[in-house]
Amino acid sequence: MTSRAPRIAAWLALLIPASLLGGALVSQYVFGLYPCEMCYWQRWPHWAALALGGIAVLSVRRVQGLAVGMAALAAIAIATSGLIGGFHAGVEYGWWEGLTTCATSVPAGATTDDVLNSIMAAPLVRCDAAPWSMFGISLAGYNFLLSLAGAAAIYLLLRRKQPGTIVA
């Protein structure tokens, strides 16, 4: 009996980034929650994972080694997005300082023109303010949780050598 784990891992590698990107795009274009710079950073690894997951799904029946490799790379990309989301969530919750390109900063002793220029150069959407949250968790926090859980699930499925066993 052969394991179905690589096929399930390949489908997860496709569906997890597709779902998270879909949710981000719906929140942006349907609900008007415009992304900040760090929100865009979280999307790039998901786009890569989506492509890798697609290759994994298409090759799982023909070249299982390729499918496993692509699913593993997709899991790494998904985890990368989750880690960026974790950093972003920490900035939103005020646990640490964000990047200076995401917020307005006015130097000490600035003139009125400097203050005005600083305000005008600020991004429209700040990285340190969560535009939406549910149960106290922001979208970046959900990306962190769902991405790392999904990447771990793919990893565990790929480590399975035969049905019912996982090799550490």
Side-chain angles (χ1 to χ4, degrees):
M1 173 162 54
T2 61
S3 174
R4 294 178 20 199
R7 186 171 16 165
I8 296 168
W11 276 104
L12 283 177
L14 177 68
L15 294 176
I16 290 168
S19 300
L20 291 172
L21 281 170
L25 293 172
V26 166
S27 71
Q28 178 179 351
Y29 291 109
V30 176
F31 299 113
L33 298 175
Y34 297 104
C36 69
E37 185 175 353
M38 282 198 275
C39 294
Y40 282 118
W41 295 353
Q42 294 170 67
R43 293 181 186 187
W44 289 111
H46 278 312
W47 285 114
L50 188 63
L52 294 166
I55 295 169
V57 166
L58 292 174
S59 63
V60 74
R61 292 199 184 260
R62 293 177 187 89
V63 186
Q64 192 168 2
L66 176 63
V68 168
M70 293 296 109
L73 289 174
I76 292 169
I78 292 166
T80 301
S81 177
L83 293 173
I84 295 168
F87 176 76
H88 186 191
V91 171
E92 291 174 338
Y93 299 141
W95 295 342
W96 44 75
E97 191 70 27
L99 304 173
T100 57
T101 59
C102 288
T104 304
S105 60
V106 180
T111 66
T112 306
D113 288 335
D114 292 337
V115 173
L116 182 59
N117 289 335
S118 178
I119 292 170
M120 295 306 289
L124 296 177
V125 180
R126 294 176 46 136
C127 294
D128 60 352
W132 179 89
S133 67
M134 184 169 67
F135 307 119
I137 302 173
S138 68
L139 287 172
Y142 279 110
N143 182 44
F144 171 74
L145 296 171
L146 296 172
S147 293
L148 291 185
I154 294 168
Y155 173 76
L156 291 173
L157 284 166
L158 293 177
R159 298 294 300 166
R160 216 176 236 196
K161 294 299 180 192
Q162 54 185 323
T165 63
I166 296 176
V167 177

